[in-house]
């Protein structure tokens, strides 16, 4: 049986001060954006969310009542960089930041490496039961990136080359540990038309 997984990236606060791993609550503008996505998501047999406040608020704004909080879907652990801006890190540890962005095994912050995060997400993906059916999950951007790296069999260095905007959806289908990326249409083609 094929598992159909949609990873919806959490909404982002409109706060301009971007901080590594900061789990700021969503503001009303972000929540309105979530509510516009409700009708575009497929039906699901199971719904889950990462443990962050953003993930939980996004799921709540989608109107999800029964949701499983999945610890494996947590954000990348940035250790001592948690809550700091990229500019702050560049000022105090520019070399560490450069190494971290180029070497997926590096942990200059003392937290989790990109490689470790990719392995964590790959393990979660491959542990989904064959009869899971359609699964919807609200996740952090790092989680969606790691899932794509695994699904495509891409090297971990490609993690930073994947742009995953807030409220974007990643559709994967899989079985027996093999995953495929399923791209979605921008608009529906009327029956009988198209190629």
């Amino acid at each position: 049986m094929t598992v159909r997984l949609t990873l919806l990236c959490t909404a982002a606060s409109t706060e301009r001060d971007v901080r590594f791993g900061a789990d700021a609550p969503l503001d009303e503008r972000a929540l309105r954006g979530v509510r516009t996505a409700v009708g575009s998501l497929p039906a699901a047999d199971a719904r889950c969310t990462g443990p962050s406040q953003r993930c939980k608020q996004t799921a709540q704004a989608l109107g999800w009542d029964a949701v499983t909080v999945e610890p494996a879907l947590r954000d990348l652990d940035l250790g001592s960089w948690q809550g700091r801006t990229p500019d702050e890190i560049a000022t105090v540890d520019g070399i560490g930041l450069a190494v971290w962005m180029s070497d997926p095994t590096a942990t200059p912050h003392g937290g989790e490496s990109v490689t470790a995060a990719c392995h964590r997400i790959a393990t979660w993906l491959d542990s989904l039961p064959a009869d899971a059916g359609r699964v919807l999950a609200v996740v952090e951007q790092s989680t969606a990136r790691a899932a794509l790296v695994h699904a495509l069999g891409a090297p971990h260095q490609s993690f930073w080359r994947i742009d995953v905007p807030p409220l974007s959806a990643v559709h994967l289908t899989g079985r027996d540990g093999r995953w495929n990326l399923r791209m979605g249409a921008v608009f529906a083609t009327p029956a009988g038309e198209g190629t």
Side-chain angles (χ1 to χ4, degrees), residues 11-90:
S13 176
T14 53
E15 183 179 306
R16 293 187 184 268
D17 190 19
V18 176
R19 295 183 176 275
F20 282 126
D23 188 17
L26 299 178
D27 54 30
E28 188 52 39
R29 184 175 173 195
L31 291 171
R32 275 194 309 270
V34 174
R35 291 182 198 111
T36 65
V38 171
S40 64
L41 293 172
D45 299 307
R47 293 182 176 124
C48 57
T49 181
S52 74
Q53 179 176 322
R54 277 189 309 257
C55 286
K56 291 175 187 175
Q57 282 185 299
T58 300
Q60 185 177 31
L62 289 169
W64 294 2
D65 294 327
V67 178
T68 301
V69 176
E70 179 54 61
L73 298 179
R74 68 187 176 277
D75 202 359
L76 188 63
D77 175 3
L78 297 173
S80 64
W81 293 357
Q82 196 82 10
R84 298 173 79 185
T85 68
D87 287 342
E88 289 171 349
I89 301 304

Side-chain angles (χ1 to χ4, degrees), residues 10 33 38 71 74 90 96 105 125-126 143 159 162 171 190:
T10 181
V38 171
R74 68 187 176 277
T105 65
L125 282 170
D126 292 344
T143 302
F159 179 89
I162 300 171
H171 303 284

Side-chain angles (χ1 to χ4, degrees), residues 112-136:
E112 182 179 34
S113 71
V114 167
T115 293
C118 288
H119 286 302
R120 171 171 45 87
I121 300 306
T123 299
W124 180 80
L125 282 170
D126 292 344
S127 71
L128 288 171
D131 63 352
R134 292 185 181 275
V135 179
L136 289 178

